[in-house]
Amino acid sequence: FLFSLFSFLSFFSLLSLLFSLTHLSGICPTNALSQECSNEGFCNGTACICNSTRIGSFCQIECPLFSNDTDACRAQGACVEDAEGLGAAECSCYEGFRGTFCEYVCPRNPSTNAVCSNLGVCDDLGE
C-alpha cells in the first residue's frame, strides 16, 4: 500500500512539475506553417515581439510601407490594426504628418512650430 501511494505521489509530482515548466516557459503563437511569430519577430517567452514592419498577436499583419522604405509609416507614425478590425494595418500619423503612409509633412509656423499655425487642419495631402 505504501509503495502504491509513493508511486502515485511521485507520478503526480512529476506531472505537476511538467505543467509548471510548460506554463512558465510560455508558448508563442504560430501561423498555419507552424512558424513561431510567423518568422517576423521573436518570442519573449509569452508573447511575440514583432519586427518594425509587422503587428498582431503572431506578427501576421503587414504594416504599410511607402515605396522602398524599411520603416512602417515612414517612421512618422505608428502602425495599428485597422479601425474596422479586418486584420489589416494602417498608419496612425504623428502630429504634423498625414497621408496613407504618413508621407506628407504638414506646414508649421516657423515661430511657434504649430501645425497650420493653429488656424486650420492639415489634410491628407499635407496641405
Side-chain angles (χ1 to χ4, degrees):
F1 173 76
L2 286 178
F3 181 73
S4 296
L5 181 61
F6 178 73
S7 296
F8 174 76
L9 290 176
S10 295
F11 178 72
F12 181 73
S13 295
L14 181 60
L15 283 179
S16 179
L17 177 64
L18 287 175
F19 176 77
S20 296
L21 290 176
T22 302
H23 181 69
L24 289 175
S25 67
I27 298 173
C28 283
T30 58
N31 63 10
L33 301 174
S34 297
Q35 296 169 319
E36 190 173 80
C37 302
S38 302
N39 280 351
E40 297 290 346
F42 68 91
C43 180
N44 72 356
T46 58
C48 291
I49 305 298
C50 303
N51 69 33
S52 65
T53 61
R54 295 290 183 135
I55 61 172
S57 59
F58 54 97
C59 308
Q60 76 278 16
I61 302 172
E62 189 173 359
C63 296
L65 295 175
F66 182 76
S67 190
N68 292 324
D69 282 350
T70 56
D71 291 321
C73 306
R74 304 209 73 197
Q76 299 170 157
C79 180
V80 297
E81 194 164 349
D82 66 325
E84 293 82 33
L86 301 175
E90 60 189 13
C91 292
S92 175
C93 301
Y94 301 139
E95 182 182 16
F97 299 96
R98 290 288 183 262
T100 303
F101 307 97
C102 304
E103 69 271 31
Y104 299 111
V105 180
C106 300
R108 291 183 178 270
N109 180 318
S111 301
T112 64
N113 202 30
V115 174
C116 299
S117 297
N118 281 339
L119 299 172
V121 177
C122 185
D123 65 20
D124 283 341
L125 297 178
E127 300 173 349

